[in-house]
Amino acid sequence: MSYVERRTLRMSPAEEAAYLQRHQWGRLATVSPEGEPHVTPVGYVFLAGRIYFHGLVRSRRGRHIAQGSRLCLCVDDGVDDGQGYRERRGVVVYGDVRVLGPEDRDLLARVRDHYAERFFGRTDIHYERRTHAWYELTPDRTTSWDFSKIPRGADRFSD
């Protein structure tokens, strides 16, 4: 058994992008002005290197965003019953967020269509609520892991 360096397990930028594109659910963290973290599940789409989600404006998360909170999104797998250690993979995205507005009309059209196709299987469904806003998370750094990259026999959990 030998030590496996953290950088060995990291996904490449292309692998991270492909991973985020394949998934649609994550856990989104915000922080209050007093420093209290808040984590909630969120459905998202990944387009052109950014993450978009549709969320309540008058929620704890919405208030934190309005108060200037940075965001952290964790998307991972290998945590379900029956999944093994080598199936552990994930990406954590850190960044700033902004609310999309009327000036983002063309971008919003692409995001809405992609979201509707991803979550409802068609683009002609109306799912938006006036209590919600569209948010854009622009990553400034990521971290990732892929335990399938651990060389066989390199740690006590691999065969």
Side-chain angles (χ1 to χ4, degrees), residues 1-6 8-9 11 19 76-90 145-159:
M1 187 166 48
S2 62
Y3 178 75
V4 178
E5 297 219 11
R6 177 82 176 90
T8 304
L9 305 180
M11 293 182 204
Y19 184 85
D76 63 340
D77 51 24
V79 296
D80 292 331
D81 290 341
Q83 289 187 303
Y85 180 74
R86 294 183 65 80
E87 295 173 271
R88 296 290 325 223
R89 296 179 308 154
W145 60 95
D146 182 349
F147 285 7
S148 71
K149 293 182 176 189
I150 297 172
R152 297 274 180 205
D155 75 359
R156 62 188 171 147
F157 297 111
S158 63
D159 7 6

Side-chain angles (χ1 to χ4, degrees), residues 84-105:
Y85 180 74
R86 294 183 65 80
E87 295 173 271
R88 296 290 325 223
R89 296 179 308 154
V91 177
V92 177
V93 178
Y94 301 88
D96 292 315
V97 65
R98 73 179 183 103
V99 178
L100 298 178
E103 69 280 5
D104 298 300
R105 184 178 63 236

Side-chain angles (χ1 to χ4, degrees), residues 15 22 29 56 58 63-64 66 69 77 90 96 111 113 120 123 126-127 136 152-153:
E15 289 171 320
R22 278 192 311 273
L56 273 167
R58 289 183 159 185
R63 284 191 308 276
H64 289 177
S69 178
D77 51 24
D96 292 315
V111 169
D113 282 353
F120 306 109
T123 60
H126 182 74
Y127 57 88
E136 176 186 69
R152 297 274 180 205

